[in-house]
Amino acid sequence: MPTRIILDTDPGADDALAILLMLSSPEIQLEALTTVHGNVTIDKTTRNALALLEFLNAKNIPVAQGCSLPLVKPPHQAQGEVVHGSSGMGRTNLTEPTLKPIETHAVDYLIERFLAEPKELTLFAVGPLTNVALAIRKEPKFAQAVKKLVIMGGAIRSGGNMSPLAEFNISEDPHAAHIVFNSGIPITLIPLDVTYKCLLTSADIERLNKIDSPIARFVRDVTADYMEFYLKYEGFAGCALHDPLTVAAIIAPELLTFESHYVNVDISGGVSTGKTYADFMKVTKKPANIKVALDVKGREFVELFIERMENLAKQ
Ligand code: RIB
Ligand code: CA
């Protein structure tokens, strides 16, 4: 039986790659997308989600639009546009979608879906956690209805990519992350510690584009700004497959090394706000609340990703 997934997302180049990987994986049944502010504005993340589903001929998957701002702090979309391009989808030229989001707000849609089938659905969150946090606060039964929550976010032993200490998704809405991390939902966290070990390179893009296919060209174009950013600012010719690596939790968990720890996020308002930390020495005496991926066979994951993209491109 495939894992039934609802994906909360801020597409975003790597979000798009995660959606391609989910749709090319028989282990997964992607049932809906909920959009959130993050890499770019909510209007753009929602438009990108709709345009991507139309491009992939996956029009049966509903999209519910979500929150446009973090719970407390101001947004930093400009940072996202540097990495993902002003549209949020790099140098792709997807046609304007004819699809529209459903009427229901993402927060209400999440509550409806998970309460309708308690412990049957897995939630993936690969953007700021604003929608998920509000679902937890609005409906007390929501947290216990979620079978599992897989999050791309955080930096445990790694430095941050939004501040020296904080990763973008958590940093964009640290208060939402604090609510989610302390909700009691079974959480699997995929932090920068492992995603930076999964670098898609231009050689991988060239290999994929040996196949004459709109999918191959899409992967090339959606990562173009991303690749340029990494070379210019982070000194390596490749882009980290942040969001796609969450999919490994379902399709190739053997590639990840997990540890369970008490994990929380700093919301004190100082320089380390948004920093995610694990109590490795058990000094808080608090029980483990999160299963964290702290190592990965990165190259093997990238090979798996490219193989699945090649299969998708040949369809
Ligand atoms: O830090 C990486 C995360 O921030 C990814 O989800 C990327 O899409 C951005 O949202
Ligand atoms: Ca994302």
Side-chain angles (χ1 to χ4, degrees):
M1 279 292 279
T3 300
R4 299 175 58 200
I5 290 174
I6 292 180
L7 173 67
D8 192 73
T9 178
D10 63 332
D14 60 322
D15 302 67
L17 298 182
I19 292 166
L20 261 63
L21 184 55
M22 285 185 173
L23 290 177
S24 65
S25 298
E27 305 89 336
I28 287 173
Q29 181 173 308
L30 180 57
E31 299 206 353
L33 301 182
T34 53
T35 58
V36 68
H37 68 89
N39 287 315
V40 288
T41 61
I42 188 68
D43 293 343
K44 289 181 180 179
T45 62
T46 304
R47 180 259 178 213
N48 292 338
L50 294 164
L52 184 61
L53 291 176
E54 209 154 90
F55 166 66
L56 297 169
N57 204 18
K59 302 177 189 178
N60 58 311
I61 295 174
V63 175
Q65 180 167 312
C67 295
S68 57
L69 290 172
L71 296 183
V72 175
K73 61 180 284 299
H76 287 93
Q77 271 110 20
Q79 160 76 12
E81 293 188 4
V82 170
V83 180
H84 301 269
S86 61
S87 72
M89 295 292 262
R91 297 177 197 164
T92 61
N93 286 306
L94 296 180
T95 49
E96 206 52 33
T98 57
L99 288 173
K100 299 289 180 211
I102 61 173
E103 288 296 313
T104 311
H105 188 281
V107 173
D108 297 319
Y109 183 78
L110 289 171
I111 292 169
E112 274 171 32
R113 288 298 310 273
F114 281 89
L115 264 62
E117 296 186 86
K119 294 291 187 192
E120 292 292 328
L121 297 169
T122 296
L123 177 59
F124 272 59
V126 296
L129 292 165
T130 314
N131 291 338
V132 182
L134 286 179
I136 292 166
R137 282 287 185 265
K138 183 170 183 182
E139 174 44 70
K141 297 193 186 81
F142 176 77
Q144 64 204 16
V146 178
K147 182 179 180 183
K148 181 162 87 168
L149 168 58
V150 181
I151 296 170
M152 189 283 132
I156 302 297
R157 292 191 176 104
S158 163
N161 61 352
M162 187 60 191
S163 78
L165 293 168
E167 177 277 329
F168 179 82
N169 287 338
I170 306 301
S171 170
E172 270 308 276
D173 200 339
H175 305 88
H178 193 274
I179 290 169
V180 175
F181 282 21
N182 293 284
S183 66
I185 296 175
I187 294 172
T188 296
L189 187 70
I190 308 292
L192 296 182
D193 305 63
V194 287
T195 62
Y196 270 124
K197 293 182 178 179
C198 300
L199 297 183
L200 185 72
T201 66
S202 45
D204 296 319
I205 298 291
E206 278 163 42
R207 166 184 156 187
L208 177 59
N209 278 271
K210 286 188 169 44
I211 302 169
D212 177 15
S213 152
I215 295 287
R217 288 187 287 277
F218 176 83
V219 174
R220 177 196 64 199
D221 297 344
V222 81
T223 55
D225 288 325
Y226 217 171
M227 292 268 193
E228 206 168 270
F229 172 87
Y230 276 98
L231 191 56
K232 187 173 175 187
Y233 292 100
E234 308 214 11
F236 47 80
C239 62
L241 293 177
H242 299 298
D243 294 343
L245 186 58
T246 59
V247 185
I250 305 295
I251 68 173
E254 70 283 0
L255 298 182
L256 293 161
T257 301
F258 291 105
E259 294 179 21
S260 291
H261 293 288
Y262 171 69
V263 175
N264 214 333
V265 53
D266 179 5
I267 54 171
S268 59
V271 68
S272 57
T273 294
K275 171 62 185 163
T276 49
Y277 56 89
D279 181 11
F280 290 108
M281 305 298 282
K282 304 194 182 340
V283 293
T284 65
K285 306 281 189 284
K286 291 187 177 180
N289 59 333
I290 292 184
K291 193 169 95 166
V292 193
L294 290 170
D295 202 359
V296 62
K297 294 176 179 168
R299 191 63 219 163
E300 283 91 325
F301 173 71
V302 176
E303 290 291 334
L304 173 61
F305 174 78
I306 288 296
E307 282 160 21
R308 299 254 166 138
M309 292 302 103
E310 286 174 329
N311 294 341
L312 197 60
K314 288 171 188 165
Q315 282 176 13

